[in-house]
Amino acid sequence: MSTDVRGSGEGEGAGEGAVTATVTAARGGPDGWADLPGDTALSIRVPEANHLVSTGFPAHVTVLYPFLGASRLSASAHAELTEVFAAHAPFTLTFTEFRRYPGVLYLPPEPEAPVRALTASLTDRWPEAVPYRGIFTPPLAPHLTLANHEGPDTYEAAYDALESRLAPHLPLVSQVSEVHLMVTDGAGGWRDLRTYRLGEGTSEPALCDARAKRM
């Protein structure tokens, strides 16, 4: 679940050149940086958009990556996560337009505030869980990545065509009532660990593995 952005970022209010420079300085490999074994992430699934994405992973909006290392996910940590998410009511996200950064085509969720509020609650409780390892300044805005496979010389034309093909599927509306906790093996595979319900005091272990290249 390393960043969806290759060579750029989606920080709200940041200039494209400034964000690109930040990432270029930080990246350690062709994908920006490697996911570490035991890295975890919290994300919102958007199944309504699964048929639109070409990233190798189910459509999602990241709430916090990375979260605590898997070795720190004790029973008390799960209990605290349950409490954090129970304090937030379910909400609705709408996706109406395309946006880009070099190499990336994505959909911004509307409104952003509920997603940002979840992230803020988590980082208030666990300040050591710095979004995207602090690489992006400001942090990436909430986003749903559709494609990130094109390079700087090809993405404009490729994503012009992709937008034209996908435009009839917008707007998309998704009801958000839970957040998924996932863990990676560090080799590109991710699996569900647990699902936390919004506005409720329950948490259920994951019943299936969800694997992909990057989140």
Side-chain angles (χ1 to χ4, degrees):
M1 183 171 179
S2 349
T3 181
D4 299 312
V5 181
R6 295 189 178 189
S8 67
E10 298 160 25
E12 184 177 73
E16 183 175 294
V19 179
T20 301
T22 299
V23 179
T24 300
R27 62 189 299 175
D31 291 327
W33 67 81
D35 297 318
L36 303 177
D39 272 352
T40 65
L42 291 153
S43 70
I44 295 165
R45 297 284 175 79
V46 185
E48 296 84 358
N50 280 341
H51 63 297
L52 305 183
V53 303
S54 55
T55 60
F57 198 89
H60 67 281
V61 174
T62 298
V63 175
L64 181 58
Y65 164 81
F67 183 51
L68 304 181
S71 62
R72 293 188 58 190
L73 294 176
S74 62
S76 61
H78 287 301
E80 289 183 84
L81 282 167
T82 298
E83 183 178 347
V84 167
F85 290 119
H88 292 261
F91 53 89
T92 301
L93 292 179
T94 303
F95 302 87
T96 64
E97 63 177 322
F98 301 102
R99 290 186 189 170
R100 301 182 194 181
Y101 275 87
V104 179
L105 178 67
Y106 69 99
L107 301 172
E110 301 172 3
E112 290 185 348
V115 182
R116 290 184 179 275
L118 290 174
T119 305
S121 291
L122 292 164
T123 54
D124 284 349
R125 171 58 188 85
W126 291 280
E128 67 272 33
V130 179
Y132 299 102
R133 307 194 203 282
I135 288 176
F136 299 98
T137 304
L140 298 185
H143 59 280
L144 190 162
T145 297
L146 298 175
N148 60 359
H149 56 279
E150 296 288 339
D153 297 329
T154 61
Y155 81 94
E156 291 284 13
Y159 294 161
D160 282 347
L162 186 56
E163 281 191 23
S164 295
R165 180 166 62 83
L166 299 183
H169 298 280
L170 300 185
L172 288 172
V173 178
S174 184
Q175 306 297 324
V176 180
S177 60
E178 60 189 24
V179 176
H180 292 257
L181 173 65
M182 306 184 67
V183 64
T184 181
D185 57 13
W190 285 85
R191 62 185 177 87
D192 277 327
L193 284 179
R194 193 167 292 226
T195 300
Y196 299 92
R197 300 185 188 280
L198 299 179
E200 298 181 14
T202 60
S203 170
E204 297 178 355
L207 300 178
C208 63
D209 285 352
R211 299 186 178 275
K213 295 180 180 178
R214 289 287 182 265
M215 189 163 177

